Amino acid sequence: MPDPNRGVRIVRRQLDSDELAAPMSFSVTLRMRNLAELQARVARGEVIPRDEMEAKYLPSASDYQALSDWLAGQGFTLEKADPSRLHVFVRGAVAQIQDAFGASFARVANENGEFTSAVTAPSLPAEFSGAVLAFSGLQPHFQRRRHSREISDLQSVSTSQGNVTVVAPSDLRAAYQAPSGLTGSGQTIAIIMAATVTSSDLTSFYTTVGSGQVASNVTTVTIGSGPSNSSQSTNASEAALDVEWSGAMAPGAKVRLYAISSLSDSGIEAAASQILADINAGNNITVCSMSFGGAEVADSAGSLLALDQSFVALSAAGVTCLASSDDGGSNPNARTGAYASSNALSASTPADDPNVMGVGGTTVQFNSSGVAAGEVVWNDINTSKPAASGGGLSQLFQKPSWQSDGGSLLASQSARCVPDISAMSTASANGTGVFALVVQGGKGLLIGGTSLSSPVDAGIFALINQARANVGAKPLGNPGPSIYPLHASGFNDVTSGNNGAYTAGAGYDLCTGLGTLNTAALVSALAPSPPTITGQPQSTSATAGGTFSLTVSATGSGTLAYQWFLNGAALAGQTSPTYFNGNAQAADAGSYTVTVSNAAGSVTSSAATVTVGAATTAAAAPAGGGGGGGGGGGGAPSLWLYAALAALAGLRWRGRLIAAS
C-alpha cells in the first residue's frame, strides 16, 4: 500500500486494458562496492580518480550487465545507459512490471492528481538480491516539490516597480563578501530541474540586473523525453530562478540545466548519471544545485539510499552538491510542504543527505544605502502561506564525522543535522519586504524561498572552486570536511529568529546552519595563494663578537611560516622574518637562505652571504698624551676608540671629540 504519510488514497484496484498497457519508466539501482570505505574517504574531503572508482567502488560490470540482460529478457527497453553502472534505466508496460516483479498496481490519487502506481513492493530473483539496492519510479504519484515561492508578477521586466525595488545579484555578492576578481571562470554549475528555460528570458534577466553573464553560457541537457507538459508548467519559474541566479552570482561560469521529465527519484538519478558522464567527457562541472525536495518522513529508506549513492559518486568526482532545505520550517507537511506546528518534525530530503550541503534561508536586512546590514532566519509562519527556513534532524542518516563546530548543539546529536549553510530567501529594506527578480515567459516575477538560497550559494562555490583552480588545487567536492572547521571565520553567523521549533543562536543552529558564506574568508582559507618573496635578504658582514641581521619580506594567504638555513642546515628556533645574531663568530659566516611557506606551498629566498671578520684590538694610548686629566693621570681616550665604543653600544658617532672628565 502507498505510504499514508504521502496523503494517497486508492481510487480503484482493478486496472483497465489501457492502464495495463501504459508505458512506465523506472530504474533499478545496484549496490556500490566498498561503500563505507568510499563514504569515509569523501568525508575526509577526498576527490577520487575515475579509474579508482571503477576498480574499487562502482558496481561491477558483470553485475550491471547481468541485470540489464535479465530486464531485457523480460521485455523491458533500456532507455539510458549508465556509464557509472549505478542504475539500469528501463521502460515497459505496467502489465510487464506486474508480471516481472510481482508488484500490484492500482489507480491512486493525491493533491497532484490521479496516477497508476505500485501498491505493493517489487521483487527480483534471488540471484540479484545481493547486487540490487532499490527500485525507483514505480510510484509516479510521489514526486519532490520545487521550493520557490512566487510572491507576485511585475508589470514589466525591471529592477523597480513602483514602490518595489528588487534585490540584484550584485547586492548579494556584496553581502556575502565575494571578491570582485572572482567570476567563476572555468567552472560549470549543474542545475537539476523538471523544466527548461529560454535564451530570451536569460538575456532579459542578465541585462536587466547588470550581470556580465550571457545566455550562450547556458546549455540545456534534455534527459529522456524531457519535461512533461505538466512539469514544465509547474516548474518553469523554478528553472528560470535556478539558472538565472546561479549564473549571475558567478558571471564567468557556465551553467548546464539537466531537464528531467518530472521530479521523481528515477529522474533525479538519471540527471546525476548524465552529470557524471559529462564530467568524464571533459566538462568541468564542480557544483550541482537542487531546489526541490520533500519531508524525509514521507520517503522510504530505499529511495533515500539509492539517491545517496548518486550523491557520493558526484562528491567523489569533485562536485559540490547543494539542496534547498525546504520552505516548511521545522514542521513541513509531508505532502504539500507547508508549515504547521501540528505536522511532524522533519528534515527535508535531499538536503538531509550527508553528501549534500543543505541550504537554509535568511531574510537579509538592507539599510537605506542598499547595503546589507544583517540577517535573521527567514520566517513567514504568521502569514496566509506559512513558511520558513527548513531544518531538523534526519531519521535515517547519522551525523557525519565532520559536522562539528565545537558547540554543544552538534555535540549532543547523533543524527545528521540540517541545514549546513544558508543564503537569502527574502529581504527587507527600511522595514519593507523586497525579493528576487526572475524573468520567465517574458515577464518579471518576484520570488523568494530556499529555492533562491541554493543557487545563490551554488554561484559562490563556483567562485571558491575558481580560486582553488587558480592555485592548482582540486575542486572541493563535498565541502563539509573543509568548511565546518572554519565556522568561526568563514561565515556570517545568523543569531536571531526561528523556523518554528528551532531557534537561531551563536554558532550552528537548525535554522541557518553555520550561517551565510563569507566568500572572501573562505577563499583565503580554502584557496590560499602560495607565498611570494617581495624583499630578498641582503649580504652583510660583521666582526667577531658583533651583530648582524637578515630580513625577508613576503606575501601570501593565511599565516606565513619562516625557517632560516645556514649552508643548507636549518637553524633551530629561527622562524621569524628577521634573523638576528647578537654575537657573531667565525662559524656564523656562510650562505643564508630562508624558506617561507603556507598551506598553498613554499618558496626559498636567494642566498645572502655573511662574512665575519676578526675583532679589532685597540693600541695602548701614549703615556701622558692628549692633555690628561685628573686623578689617575691617564690620558683622554682617543677619537677612534670612542667611535668603536659608540658602534658597539648601537650609538651613532657624530665625529665630535668628547673630552675625558
Side-chain angles (χ1 to χ4, degrees), residues 306-393:
L307 286 173
D308 175 65
Q309 289 196 159
S310 292
F311 298 140
V312 74
L314 287 170
S315 295
V319 179
T320 294
C321 297
L322 307 170
S324 50
S325 69
D326 211 335
D327 293 356
S330 56
N331 302 71
N333 184 286
R335 293 177 291 109
T336 66
Y339 171 84
S341 59
S342 58
N343 296 331
L345 292 170
S346 180
S348 177
T349 181
D352 63 336
D353 193 285
N355 298 294
V356 175
M357 287 284 100
V359 187
T362 70
T363 296
V364 182
Q365 299 164 323
F366 290 94
N367 63 23
S368 57
S369 300
V371 177
E375 292 175 271
V376 298
V377 178
W378 170 52
N379 184 321
D380 283 344
I381 286 174
N382 296 318
T383 67
S384 60
K385 296 181 179 179
S389 173
L393 305 174

Side-chain angles (χ1 to χ4, degrees), residues 164-410:
V164 177
T165 299
V166 304
V167 177
S170 58
D171 297 325
L172 289 191
R173 279 183 59 99
Y176 298 142
Q177 298 90 24
S180 59
L182 293 177
T183 65
S185 176
Q187 311 302 303
T188 300
I189 302 168
I191 301 294
I192 300 176
M193 185 42 61
T196 59
V197 295
T198 66
S199 293
S200 59
D201 282 345
L202 298 179
T203 297
S204 178
F205 175 80
Y206 295 136
T207 300
T208 301
V209 301
S211 172
Q213 185 60 270
V214 292
S216 58
N217 275 342
V218 178
T219 300
T220 297
V221 181
T222 302
I223 305 298
S225 58
S228 66
N229 291 336
S230 61
S231 288
Q232 180 67 31
S233 175
T234 300
N235 299 307
S237 61
E238 180 64 65
L241 165 60
D242 295 348
V243 172
E244 290 170 4
W245 275 83
S246 63
M249 291 297 292
K254 296 183 183 299
V255 180
R256 290 175 73 85
L257 171 61
Y258 290 82
I260 56 182
S261 60
S262 67
L263 293 177
S264 65
D265 288 353
S266 58
I268 299 165
E269 292 163 0
S273 168
Q274 189 60 52
I275 292 170
L276 288 168
D278 290 348
I279 291 172
N280 294 334
N283 291 281
N284 191 35
I285 301 169
T286 60
V287 185
C288 176
S289 180
M290 299 171 284
S291 290
F292 54 77
E296 187 188 75
V297 295
D299 220 325
S300 68
S303 295
L304 296 180
L305 293 174
L307 286 173
D308 175 65
Q309 289 196 159
S310 292
F311 298 140
V312 74
L314 287 170
S315 295
V319 179
T320 294
C321 297
L322 307 170
S324 50
S325 69
D326 211 335
D327 293 356
S330 56
N331 302 71
N333 184 286
R335 293 177 291 109
T336 66
Y339 171 84
S341 59
S342 58
N343 296 331
L345 292 170
S346 180
S348 177
T349 181
D352 63 336
D353 193 285
N355 298 294
V356 175
M357 287 284 100
V359 187
T362 70
T363 296
V364 182
Q365 299 164 323
F366 290 94
N367 63 23
S368 57
S369 300
V371 177
E375 292 175 271
V376 298
V377 178
W378 170 52
N379 184 321
D380 283 344
I381 286 174
N382 296 318
T383 67
S384 60
K385 296 181 179 179
S389 173
L393 305 174
S394 172
Q395 297 183 18
L396 176 65
F397 296 109
Q398 294 295 301
K399 181 179 68 177
S401 58
W402 43 261
Q403 195 171 30
S404 172
D405 69 339
S408 59
L409 191 154
L410 287 174

Side-chain angles (χ1 to χ4, degrees), residues 494-652:
V494 180
T495 60
S496 179
N498 68 81
N499 65 354
Y502 306 117
T503 301
Y508 180 89
D509 57 66
L510 293 167
C511 304
T512 60
L514 295 173
T516 57
L517 304 180
N518 182 326
T519 314
L522 290 171
V523 165
S524 178
L526 300 175
S529 58
T532 299
I533 292 177
T534 57
Q536 299 285 352
Q538 300 298 307
S539 298
T540 189
S541 61
T543 57
T547 66
F548 70 90
S549 64
L550 301 168
T551 298
V552 68
S553 300
T555 60
S557 298
T559 301
L560 299 180
Y562 301 85
Q563 177 60 60
W564 287 90
F565 296 82
L566 171 57
N567 298 325
L571 295 168
Q574 297 300 323
T575 56
S576 68
T578 296
Y579 170 79
F580 175 79
N581 189 320
N583 184 22
Q585 301 297 318
D588 296 322
S591 177
Y592 285 79
T593 57
V594 58
T595 295
V596 187
S597 59
N598 65 4
S602 62
V603 62
T604 299
S605 72
S606 58
T609 301
V610 174
T611 56
V612 179
T616 304
T617 302
S638 67
L639 185 62
W640 63 263
L641 180 56
Y642 267 108
L645 291 173
L648 288 175
L651 304 175
R652 182 179 180 187

